[in-house]
Structures are given as structure tokens and as C-alpha cells.
Amino acid sequence: MTKTTFLAGCLAALAAQASMAQAADGILTVATIGEPPTLDAMQTPTDIVLTIDQHIFETLYTYDAQWKSVPLLAAGMPELSADGLTYRIPLRQGVTFHDGSAFDSADVVASLTRWMKVNSKGKQVSEVVDSLSADGPDAVVIKLKSRYAPLLATLSQASIILPSEKIADELTEFVGTGPYALKERRPDQYTQLVRFDGYVSPEGEPSNYAGKRQAIAKEIRFVPVPDANTRVEGLISGQFDFADSLPVSAYDRVEASDKAAPVIFQNQGWTSMNMNMKQGLLTSKELRQAVQLALNPSDMMLAAFSDDRFFSVDGSIFPEGFLWHTASGVTRYGEGDPEGAAKLLEQAGYDGTPLRILTSRQYEFHYKIGEVAKAYLEAAGFKVDLQVVDWATLTTRRADPAQWDIFITHSNFPGDPSTINTITDSYPGWYVSDQKAQAVSTYLASTSDDEKAKAWEGVQSVIYDDAPLFKVGNFNGLSGIAKGIPDYVPTYWPHFWNVTPKE
């Protein structure tokens, strides 16, 4: 270490200590999109629950800036047997729960056992787990029936670790190891968290959810504010320190405010047009590929988001910066080729049957994407029936393969690509093919990051060939932060450790 590096480190440490001292009584008031239905992330791992929960509870692993799974309550990466079936996970020592009890392997075994019973992804994991056991107080061993590449990714979300003594079918006490402890929850008013003075942080530079966590604010209050315009008004009036999920139309007002600043989170999610491979027109692969070839993603995203600050167009299913970003297999994605699509229609013997597209105005960007898609598809020679319904109706209809050909939706980017909804055989669209099954099987059998990245290239190539969907583009999220808060870093689930309240 050079003297310059050492001095910089000392100054940074002193600055952090001074910041914490200044903010000893600081409170962060966070306006969320609504009331969490529970604080039990195993039962309901929705975005609002995970946003709050991550301050209270921790998992064995978490996601870094590339969305790799890295240690949180684990002391390191797993020791993996030669056959890829046995994971020995070392645990950090000296960690305590909010109730003062010590964290050890018994808590991990009890928590993961519950997770595999009640959580949807936990249930999937349970199907491949042969045994879960403690290896002394500071390690656990998971033995699998078959290789399962997404294991660490699924252990990085919702698989929260609880004190074994507090575990029940329905949680009545919400006790974790996180930097903040639950003090009070008043439904439809607020969820109040207070700094846990006994918190023991992981080491390392902060990176997404990984690295050092410091509870600078004394208190965080999550306030449910379902109306987006009310969140905007509360932010610019100074009522809220942070407001989540703002409409992009509010950007200029927030930017002009003397009390708040806009925050753009890059690549919050992606939009897609999912195709019905089970029944109807799009059981034809040539017609699905014609849909892909006809569409212009740039025009669709511009119509949906109005401003290129809020979207990007990229055929890779995962955006740049993710471990999984690759151009492998990307084809029939660009500026739209209605003439080329018309040739595919002719080759497929298209008979003029209307192409039924489901969309909803509850997500206005879905509707606008649908309008532009209709124009391009009609230019290629399709007859299009754009059906605009409420979101509840759409989710009901898409379960019946007789009622639609395409539905428009959006998703976040999961920590592991094999958990993308479309890859699941049973997800509406019913994407089933032999080459997909083989490509996914190769991925699931991979163990190292390099093996998984290479296998994912194969999966993405197969997805483009089979054409179960058209990826439209990536979209950015807008939120707002009070001026005078210098160190907030946007993440998919907003977090407020390492954040200094305004004076």
C-alpha cells in the first residue's frame, strides 16, 4: 500500500465517522408505491416487500454490480465437490440477530428448510436438494440430486435467515441480522426501522447490494403513497427524502425543484411481446419470426417512453454491465423490415387470420408499444386485432391459449437467467422445444461463472431461433431524492444503508 493510498483510506474513514456522527439523529422518510402485504419475504417476495426487508434481514449471498452472487452472511463462496453436487457454505462468525442471539448454522438450516416449504423458488430448489445439514456451528452443507446452476442466485433473494427460535408457519416477530431493526409497523401509515447498533457488516467496497453496509441514519420510515402524483408533490415540497417509481413526465418538475433532484436508475427492466406457441397462428415458427422481423424496437420504445433518457434498445436479453450480456444469437432485431416479414408470411401460407394482441392501459407504456407494433405488423401484411383490457383481465385471458396470440408485458432482470419467466414451460406462451430443453439442461449443469456465461449464450441463441418472444427494449426507472443527501446510489430495490440524511 502506498502512502497516498493509506492517507486516502484514513481520510475516507474519518469522513465516514464524521458523517455518522453528524447524522446520529437523522431520519430518512421514504415514499413507497404502497403498503407491503407482509414483511415475510419468503411468503411474498414482491418488490415493495424486498425493498423494506433487505434492511432488516440478510441472506447467505447477495448481488454485486454485475449481478453475480457474492457472500453476505456466508463467509465465502461455497466449497464445491468435484461432481458439482455438494456445496459446503462457510458462515461468518460474530454476527448477531436484533434480539441479541448469535447467528449460526442452526439458524441457516431452519430458515432454508422453511424457505423450501413456503417460497415459490424455494420449492423449486427443494426438488433438487437431497439434504441440508449443519457442519458444526459455522458451516452448512447442501447436497443436490442433480446439478443446479441457479442455486446461489436463489440463495440471494427472499431466502432470509431468521433466528431458529423465531421460525413459525406465520411469522409474528420479524428479527434479522440487518443494519436496521423493525421498531413499529402501522399499516397504511408507515413501517419504522431503527439503526441496529450491534450490526456486523461484511467487508469490501459497496457494489450494488454487496460490500460494507453502514447504518448512518438513525431511523428509516417507509411511508405507503399509492398515488404517483402524491409522491411527486411530497418530494418537491420536502415531505419525503426519497420517492420511488415516479412517472417520467415528472422529471422536469423534480429537476426544477429547489428541494429535490431526479434519480434515473438504468436498466430497471425490459419490455417484451410474448407469443403463444401452444395454440393459434403463432404455433408457426415462421410466423413468429415474421413478427420479430417486422418490428422496429426504437420506434416502439420512443412511443412508450418519449425520451431516450428513459430507455435503450439492445437485442441482448440482459443489458450491458451484467455478467449475462451477450450478442450471441441476436437476429431479426433492428429497424424493422416489413418487406422481409411479408416474404416470411407468404412462405408460411398466412391466410389473413387476425393476430390478437393483448395489452393494457394500466401500464401506459404497454399500450403505446402495442399501437406502434400494430402499425408495423400491418405494414408487413398481418391483420391485427389489438385488444386493450385492464391488467387483471389480461392476466386471466393469457392463461387460456385459445384467447390470444401475443401479450405485452415487462420484467426485471433476474440474478440468474434460467429464472426468466419465458424459459419456464408452463409460463403463458408455453415455450416448449427440444433445443431449448437441451440448452437449459447444459446451463443447469454448469458450475463456474465462465461455464454458465457460455451456456447462457447457447440459451439466448435458441430463444432467438425459436422466437417465443420479441424483446422490445430496456427501460430506466425514475425516482427522486432530497437535495442535501449526497451519497444515495440507485439500485433496483432502493436501499438506504450508506446513505446520509440531510441536515
Side-chain angles (χ1 to χ4, degrees):
M1 178 183 291
T2 65
K3 290 182 179 179
T4 302
T5 303
F6 177 75
L7 179 59
C10 291
L11 290 174
L14 289 172
Q17 292 172 8
S19 176
M20 189 165 182
Q22 291 172 1
D25 295 321
I27 298 174
L28 291 169
T29 304
V30 177
T32 66
I33 62 169
E35 174 67 20
T38 178
L39 293 181
D40 184 354
M42 289 190 193
Q43 294 276 13
T44 312
T46 56
D47 286 347
I48 181 60
V49 174
L50 292 170
T51 294
I52 297 173
D53 261 26
Q54 64 186 333
H55 298 82
I56 305 170
F57 302 104
E58 294 179 315
T59 48
L60 292 178
Y61 294 91
T62 192
Y63 301 121
D64 71 4
Q66 284 193 300
W67 288 82
K68 290 182 181 179
S69 293
V70 296
L72 181 53
L73 284 174
M77 298 303 286
E79 301 165 15
L80 189 59
S81 63
D83 62 6
L85 298 179
T86 301
Y87 289 68
R88 183 183 184 276
I89 300 175
L91 305 178
R92 288 171 52 209
Q93 299 179 37
V95 174
T96 59
F97 289 99
H98 300 151
D99 63 0
S101 61
F103 160 76
D104 62 19
S105 58
D107 304 306
V108 175
V109 171
S111 297
L112 295 186
T113 298
R114 180 180 187 265
W115 171 70
M116 288 190 290
K117 289 179 179 177
V118 305
N119 181 264
S120 58
K121 284 189 171 58
K123 290 176 182 178
Q124 292 175 13
V125 171
S126 71
E127 294 176 2
V128 297
V129 169
D130 183 54
S131 65
L132 166 64
S133 61
D135 183 11
D138 301 319
V140 295
V141 174
I142 301 174
K143 293 185 177 181
L144 305 179
K145 300 173 186 175
S146 59
R147 288 188 176 189
Y148 190 69
L151 181 63
L152 292 193
T154 57
L155 292 176
S156 302
Q157 180 183 324
S159 54
I160 55 177
I161 305 302
L162 314 161
S164 56
E165 300 83 4
K166 306 289 186 185
I167 289 177
D169 290 341
E170 295 292 330
L171 294 183
T172 56
E173 296 182 68
F174 298 91
V175 178
T177 59
Y180 288 89
L182 176 65
K183 182 176 181 180
E184 184 179 21
R185 182 184 175 200
R186 293 192 177 184
D188 298 318
Q189 295 185 50
Y190 60 79
T191 300
Q192 180 187 17
L193 310 185
V194 294
R195 186 168 59 225
F196 175 41
D197 291 329
Y199 180 64
V200 179
S201 173
E203 296 299 320
E205 288 296 315
S207 173
N208 204 16
Y209 302 100
K212 191 169 183 63
R213 299 179 169 192
Q214 186 179 19
I216 299 175
K218 180 182 179 181
E219 179 183 320
I220 307 172
R221 286 199 177 208
F222 293 94
V223 180
V225 186
D227 182 76
N229 291 324
T230 304
R231 293 197 296 278
V232 172
E233 296 301 326
L235 177 70
I236 63 179
S237 71
Q239 179 184 1
F240 305 131
D241 296 304
F242 179 87
D244 196 16
S245 298
L246 303 182
V248 296
S249 59
Y251 182 92
D252 291 337
R253 285 198 67 207
V254 176
E255 187 178 41
S257 166
D258 61 354
K259 292 185 178 179
V263 176
I264 293 178
F265 175 59
Q266 301 287 336
N267 299 318
Q268 185 176 41
W270 59 295
T271 59
S272 63
M273 299 177 63
N274 291 40
M275 305 192 219
N276 184 349
M277 293 178 58
K278 190 173 187 178
Q279 189 172 335
L281 273 180
L282 298 184
T283 55
S284 164
K285 183 174 178 176
E286 281 187 312
L287 289 184
R288 295 196 302 273
Q289 291 183 345
V291 170
Q292 289 180 321
L293 191 58
L295 296 172
N296 183 313
S298 297
D299 283 358
M300 295 160 74
M301 292 298 283
L302 185 61
F305 294 97
S306 304
D307 187 325
D308 60 12
R309 289 175 297 185
F310 300 110
F311 71 88
S312 62
V313 172
D314 182 355
S316 172
I317 292 178
F318 282 81
E320 290 187 28
F322 280 68
L323 174 66
W324 317 111
H325 180 268
T326 176
S328 293
V330 175
T331 187
R332 296 179 301 279
Y333 185 89
E335 295 307 307
D337 181 4
E339 291 182 1
K343 292 178 182 177
L344 287 178
L345 292 186
E346 184 177 355
Q347 292 170 15
Y350 176 60
D351 62 2
T353 300
L355 186 68
R356 298 161 298 171
I357 301 177
L358 287 176
T359 191
S360 172
R361 295 202 78 151
Q362 283 177 270
Y363 293 106
E364 187 68 11
F365 65 99
H366 290 190
Y367 169 70
K368 290 178 178 177
I369 284 171
E371 283 190 310
V372 177
K374 180 176 185 290
Y376 273 93
L377 291 167
E378 288 176 339
F382 279 105
K383 289 184 180 179
V384 178
D385 177 13
L386 184 65
Q387 300 179 9
V388 184
V389 297
D390 62 82
W391 185 247
T393 299
L394 187 149
T395 56
T396 299
R397 282 192 191 174
R398 75 182 183 185
D400 181 355
Q403 294 198 45
W404 62 279
D405 299 300
I406 292 174
F407 75 89
I408 299 172
T409 189
H410 70 276
S411 310
N412 70 327
F413 296 102
D416 188 278
S418 67
T419 61
I420 292 173
N421 285 333
T422 301
I423 292 178
T424 306
D425 291 357
S426 59
Y427 185 73
W430 302 279
Y431 175 25
V432 177
S433 82
D434 290 340
Q435 65 171 351
K436 182 202 80 169
Q438 180 58 52
V440 171
S441 177
T442 300
Y443 179 87
L444 293 178
S446 303
T447 54
S448 71
D449 283 342
D450 287 344
E451 285 180 348
K452 287 190 280 188
K454 184 67 176 176
W456 168 245
E457 291 179 358
V459 176
Q460 180 171 284
S461 297
V462 166
I463 290 173
Y464 265 92
D465 183 62
D466 282 334
L469 59 78
F470 178 79
K471 179 190 173 179
V472 186
N474 307 326
F475 62 88
N476 303 331
L478 178 64
S479 56
I481 192 81
K483 289 183 176 177
I485 296 179
D487 44 12
Y488 173 74
V489 177
T491 49
Y492 180 79
W493 299 288
H495 69 268
F496 301 96
W497 58 82
N498 301 340
V499 176
T500 307
K502 64 180 184 291
E503 295 183 6

